[in-house]
Every structure is written in C-alpha cells, then in structure tokens.
Amino acid sequence: MPTNRELFQTLLDYLQQKTAQTYLGGGPKKLDDQRKKGKLTARERIAYLIDKDSQFLEIGLFAGDEMYPDEGGCPSGGVVVGIGYVSGRQCVIVANDATVKAGAWFPITAKKNLRAQEIALENRLPIIYLVDSAGVFLPMQAEIFADKEHFGRIFRNNAHLSAEGIVQIAAIMGSCVAGGAYLPIMSDEAMIVEGTGSVFLAGSFLVKSSIGEDIDNETLGGATTHSEISGVTDNKFPNDPACLDAIRDAMSKLGHEPTAGFDRIVPQSPTKSPDEIYDLLPTDRLKPYDMRELIGRWVDGSDFQEYKPLYGQSLLCGTARIEGWAVGIVANQRKMVKAKKGGGATAEMQMGGVIYSDSADKAARFIMNCNQRRIPLLFLQDVSGFMVGSRSEQGGIIKDGAKMVSAMANSVVPKFTVLVGNSYGAGNYAMCGKAYDPRLIFALPTAQMAVMSGSSAAKTLLQIQVASLKAKGQTITPEAEQAQLSEITDRYNAQLSPYFAAARLWTDGIIDPLALRQTIAMGIEAANHAPITRRYNVGVIQT
C-alpha cells in the first residue's frame, strides 16, 4: 500500500505536469513562430518585465482547461495574468498569448481579464496590459459580445479604474483590433512596438471590403501612424525589450498612496516542518485529520492563538501571522473530539467538516472581532455543509448559519480562501466561497467542490431517474441501475476535480501546500494598498 506522502506526490506530479503543458500555450511551433517575428512570448515578456528574483503569483493558470475541445482548446484562456513586482511596485500584469488562436478572446478570456481588473480595483494596484490579440473569437461571439460580464465590460472597467486613480499602462506589442483597440487607448499611457504593434478599428482586409480602400496594416495603424500622425499612442519603441524597459521606468516614478495599515512584523518560519503536511493531510477525502496540525505548519512560529477552543469545535478560529502579517483564521476541523452532552457527560464525535450551530455562532463573533481590529481573514475550507436533522433545526441551525454568513459577507477586511479538502453546498458559501468576494481563492490538489459529494449526488440523481421511470410504468433491472449509478458517479466526480473549478475561474488556481504562506502573504500585501473606507455593519441578524 502506498503511503499518504506517496499518494500526495502523485497529485503534485500531476499538477507539475499540467502546469508545464499549459506553459506551452499554443505549442512549441507557435512559440517559435512568435520569436521568428522578433517578438517575445507572453511569458517571456512578463519574465523580462518583473523584478529579478521576485515572485509572480499567477492567476487563472488553468482557465479554459478542457473547456473548448471542438475549437482546439484555449490554454490558460489565451492570456497570462498575475500579481508581480515591477521596479519594486506590486502590480497586476495581463499579457495576451498570441500563440493561442492569435490571442483571440474566448468567453473564458473575457472572464479572466475581468478578474484581473477586479483584483486591481479591489486592491488599488496598478495594472499593466501587454496587448497582442486578434480580438473576439468570432465563432463564439454570441457568448462573449453583448452581456454584462462580456467583452465590453472590460472597457467600462478601464474607465472606472482611471476614475479611481488606479494607474493603467498598456503596451501594444502585436495586433490590437476592433473593440480591443479601446483597451490600450483607454489606459493612462499607451506604448507601441515598431513593426509588430498595430491598432485599428478595422484591418486592411475589412477596410478594402467595406470602403474599397487599398492600404497595408502598418500604414493603417502601425507605430509610425499612431505615434507621429494620429497621436493615438504616446511613444514608440524599436522592440519588445525597449518597450518593457519604458514600462519599468514609468513604474519607478509612481507616487505612493495611503495603505490600509494591516499589521506586519519580521516574518518567522514555522517551528513545525511544513514538509510534514504531505503526511498529515489525507488524500482520501473521508479520512479524519487535525486541521490544527496543518495550521501549525503554515503560520509563523507555529503560533496559533485560538478563540473559544473548547466551544463549537467543528470550526477552528484564531489569530496568527503569515510571513509577518497578522491574520484571523477560520478553518474546518475533521478530527475526533470530545464534546459535551447533556448532564455534563462527554462523548467522542467525528467533526467531519460539518458546521454546527455553536460553531457558526463562534465563527460569526470571531469574524466581527477581526473586523473591529482590522485583521485580514483566511478561510481554510474542508466543509461538508451545515448539520441537518430535527435536533439541529430545533436548535436554530438556520439562524446561526445565517448569522455566520452575514458576518462574513459584510466583512470590510480583506478575505482569502484556500480549499484544503471538501467544499460542499452551503458550507462553501459560509466559508467564503467565490460568491463572497475573497481577494484571492486558491485550492490545494486535494480539494473538491460541488453541491454535495459524488456518492451522495449520484444516489440522489439515480433515485430521481428511477422514480421517473416508475411513474411511466417502466422498471429498471438491478444491473441497469448499477450501470447508471456508475455512469452518474463518474460524470459527477469529474466535476468535483479542482481542475474543473480552476478551468472556470471558480478558483484562482491550484497550489502546492508549501506555497500557501507566500501566496497569502502576497495577497495581504496587495490588499494593504487599499485603505478601508467602509464601516463594518452586519445588518439585521437574529442573535
């Protein structure tokens, strides 16, 4: 039997393999074609732009994964997005990958660009666009063009970011066509690369077909035209490196603004070995484990100051530091604990990631305290949902659950979420799922996300199908019933995968457990750029 560490390593190997494959974008040939044109690839541009030996936190690496097989795929959504450092300044970077369908915009591309702008807006970070795109992917225009969260929302966000005083710098390093032409020109500064950069509302072929004018793309909308005649761009540069150097210079001169004032001291490494997480976190999602032991390997000095440790034990709440930043942690507990019963007796009970009334009450009060003290919140999810049954209903589980959701949803301090294990049903919501605006949300390779577990969902769906057949006077053999159960289970389990969630940007990505500290630290540093201006008020909730 393989050990848990060996099973975990299999998950990490798969993550590494998918990462390496996704980094290839449209494939080795397309990457070589880009370089033959005198252009850097999207990832090479980012590597050149960011500070040497600095971290780049990629957002949406697996966006679009296996979503568009009929169109040949769309690795990483055809755009590379992340948080990095340029001239010592933290910023958001968006780089079109022209090796993927010439950088054309798929529906997931628009969603990913909007996510990048959301991060910039929430955290008041400068945003840099490295533009190289053929515009909307026309075969899917109905899914990207006209709705509120489609392509046009990006230009609306351009306007809002500028109105908020958040710096936007754009470099036109390839094609920039039609509606996509507005993105760089609605930025605060627009640069263009000679010979490869072009920007126009209609290319030469469309101009010829619509008004009969014969003209080449360079004359129509190249660097000379827009830097010397139209004044559309601010400056032109001979090649990609020169243009990226100019961005670095512009970033080095940005003024400084007030911060949120989150507390940070000199970071400490955990005293407990983080590497032991591979032994402690079961790859089997049904096995219990002690979340405290994981927290002790993620926080500075392994020092976790618990809030009400003997009350509501299915949720752990407490304060700690991560890379020096003060943080409040709300985490699901899955181990066996001793719990009070009537008459003062105690009994062992399996927490199983279930949220009970007392746990929800504790978490609500802790979240309020963190808002009062301006401490960012980190939610560590391994949740099966809220406790059900007559005893829980009579005990007011809905009321206590609503109180926790209200306290979390109205939080004014930034929230961060990591899916450690299960993320099911209303538990996903209460533990700050994507719908509740975490500044960043990442998953470990052990994560699963759905309304309920695969086995429970499959049995429920099968019961519905069998009941439907019986209502029509039909019967189903035990063999056919088992075959249907297997088919439903396989289909549902595929949707539980963290890669299924990451492909649709329900999470920002999948990380090795050992990357959690740096990921959350970068997120809090980003959030510290945005002062808190809203008063904390949880609204009307029953107590």
Side-chain angles (χ1 to χ4, degrees), residues 6 67 76 109 119 333 416 423:
E6 289 169 338
M67 284 180 65
S76 221
T109 316
I119 291 171
Q333 177 63 295
F416 302 88
S423 180

Side-chain angles (χ1 to χ4, degrees), residues 260-333:
F262 301 131
D263 189 64
R264 191 182 197 188
I265 61 174
V266 176
Q268 293 182 39
S269 298
T271 56
K272 297 179 178 180
S273 173
D275 182 72
E276 293 171 352
I277 290 172
Y278 302 138
D279 300 308
L280 296 169
L281 176 59
T283 57
D284 183 343
R285 299 310 323 124
L286 297 177
K287 288 186 177 179
Y289 64 94
D290 190 349
M291 181 66 85
R292 281 189 190 88
E293 292 299 320
L294 299 189
I295 293 172
R297 286 156 177 81
W298 279 323
V299 301
D300 289 15
S302 300
D303 182 17
F304 177 53
Q305 297 296 317
E306 275 200 66
Y307 174 76
K308 297 190 178 185
L310 302 178
Y311 174 70
Q313 295 184 66
S314 72
L315 279 176
L316 304 179
C317 299
T319 54
R321 290 186 183 275
I322 292 180
E323 292 291 330
W325 292 102
V327 65
I329 297 174
V330 181
N332 300 108
Q333 177 63 295

Side-chain angles (χ1 to χ4, degrees), residues 68 105-112 137 140 143-144 149-150:
Y68 306 105
W105 290 60
F106 282 65
I108 197 66
T109 316
K111 187 173 183 179
K112 188 169 174 180
F137 184 62
M140 303 189 76
E143 299 175 50
I144 189 176
E149 301 300 330
H150 284 180

Side-chain angles (χ1 to χ4, degrees), residues 89 120-121 123-127 157-169 188 254-258 529:
R89 304 297 294 270
L121 190 59
N123 300 293
R124 296 192 62 82
L125 291 179
I127 182 166
N157 287 351
N158 280 141
H160 279 225
L161 284 157
S162 283
E164 287 289 326
I166 297 168
V167 172
Q168 300 176 88
I169 299 174
D188 301 299
L254 294 186
H256 295 268
E257 297 192 24
H529 287 85

Side-chain angles (χ1 to χ4, degrees), residues 184-242:
I185 309 311
M186 290 187 72
S187 298
D188 301 299
E189 185 169 357
M191 308 173 182
I192 189 167
V193 177
E194 292 182 278
T196 56
S198 59
V199 55
F200 33 64
L201 295 182
S204 56
F205 290 116
L206 184 55
V207 168
K208 172 68 174 176
S209 64
S210 60
I211 65 171
E213 181 183 2
D214 278 311
I215 190 168
D216 63 88
N217 281 338
E218 182 64 24
T219 306
L220 182 65
T224 298
T225 295
H226 286 312
S227 295
E228 300 181 22
I229 301 172
S230 72
V232 166
T233 54
D234 299 313
N235 210 339
K236 63 178 182 178
F237 299 91
N239 51 43
D240 283 8

Side-chain angles (χ1 to χ4, degrees), residues 189-496:
E189 185 169 357
M191 308 173 182
I192 189 167
V193 177
E194 292 182 278
T196 56
S198 59
V199 55
F200 33 64
L201 295 182
S204 56
F205 290 116
L206 184 55
V207 168
K208 172 68 174 176
S209 64
S210 60
I211 65 171
E213 181 183 2
D214 278 311
I215 190 168
D216 63 88
N217 281 338
E218 182 64 24
T219 306
L220 182 65
T224 298
T225 295
H226 286 312
S227 295
E228 300 181 22
I229 301 172
S230 72
V232 166
T233 54
D234 299 313
N235 210 339
K236 63 178 182 178
F237 299 91
N239 51 43
D240 283 8
C243 187
L244 296 169
D245 286 339
I247 294 174
R248 291 183 56 80
D249 182 68
M251 289 290 291
S252 73
K253 294 180 172 67
L254 294 186
H256 295 268
E257 297 192 24
T259 67
F262 301 131
D263 189 64
R264 191 182 197 188
I265 61 174
V266 176
Q268 293 182 39
S269 298
T271 56
K272 297 179 178 180
S273 173
D275 182 72
E276 293 171 352
I277 290 172
Y278 302 138
D279 300 308
L280 296 169
L281 176 59
T283 57
D284 183 343
R285 299 310 323 124
L286 297 177
K287 288 186 177 179
Y289 64 94
D290 190 349
M291 181 66 85
R292 281 189 190 88
E293 292 299 320
L294 299 189
I295 293 172
R297 286 156 177 81
W298 279 323
V299 301
D300 289 15
S302 300
D303 182 17
F304 177 53
Q305 297 296 317
E306 275 200 66
Y307 174 76
K308 297 190 178 185
L310 302 178
Y311 174 70
Q313 295 184 66
S314 72
L315 279 176
L316 304 179
C317 299
T319 54
R321 290 186 183 275
I322 292 180
E323 292 291 330
W325 292 102
V327 65
I329 297 174
V330 181
N332 300 108
Q333 177 63 295
R334 293 186 59 91
K335 68 173 286 191
M336 300 289 292
V337 301
K338 292 188 181 296
K340 292 279 186 184
K341 294 183 70 179
T346 60
E348 281 202 339
M349 59 188 295
Q350 167 72 48
M351 291 292 99
V354 177
I355 302 175
Y356 294 82
S357 283
D358 53 357
S359 305
D361 172 69
K362 176 173 85 170
R365 294 174 186 274
F366 176 72
I367 291 167
M368 292 178 194
N369 285 348
C370 286
N371 274 272
Q372 183 76 6
R373 300 171 187 178
R374 298 208 168 191
I375 301 174
L377 286 160
L378 170 61
F379 293 83
L380 300 175
Q381 286 196 12
D382 194 344
V383 58
S384 303
F386 285 90
M387 190 61 188
V388 297
S390 60
R391 184 174 177 182
S392 291
E393 298 294 357
Q394 292 166 15
I397 185 66
I398 295 175
K399 176 188 67 177
D400 290 319
K403 184 163 57 176
M404 178 181 173
V405 171
S406 293
M408 179 274 300
N410 286 298
S411 178
V412 297
V413 296
K415 298 168 293 194
F416 302 88
T417 303
V418 176
L419 279 61
V420 176
N422 301 335
S423 180
Y424 296 154
N428 168 280
Y429 298 160
M431 292 294 292
C432 195
K434 185 64 180 288
Y436 292 84
D437 298 324
R439 297 292 178 95
L440 294 174
I441 176 169
F442 279 88
L444 302 189
T446 44
Q448 295 182 337
M449 184 192 297
V451 172
M452 60 182 74
S453 70
S455 59
S456 298
K459 289 173 185 175
T460 301
L461 291 168
L462 180 63
Q463 287 172 3
I464 293 170
Q465 288 188 14
V466 170
S468 176
L469 289 172
K470 286 181 178 178
K472 297 174 184 176
Q474 302 175 21
T475 58
I476 182 170
T477 66
E479 294 78 16
E481 188 172 323
Q482 184 58 46
Q484 282 200 30
L485 179 62
S486 297
E487 181 187 340
I488 295 169
T489 301
D490 291 344
R491 185 171 69 246
Y492 199 89
N493 281 340
Q495 296 180 5
L496 283 171

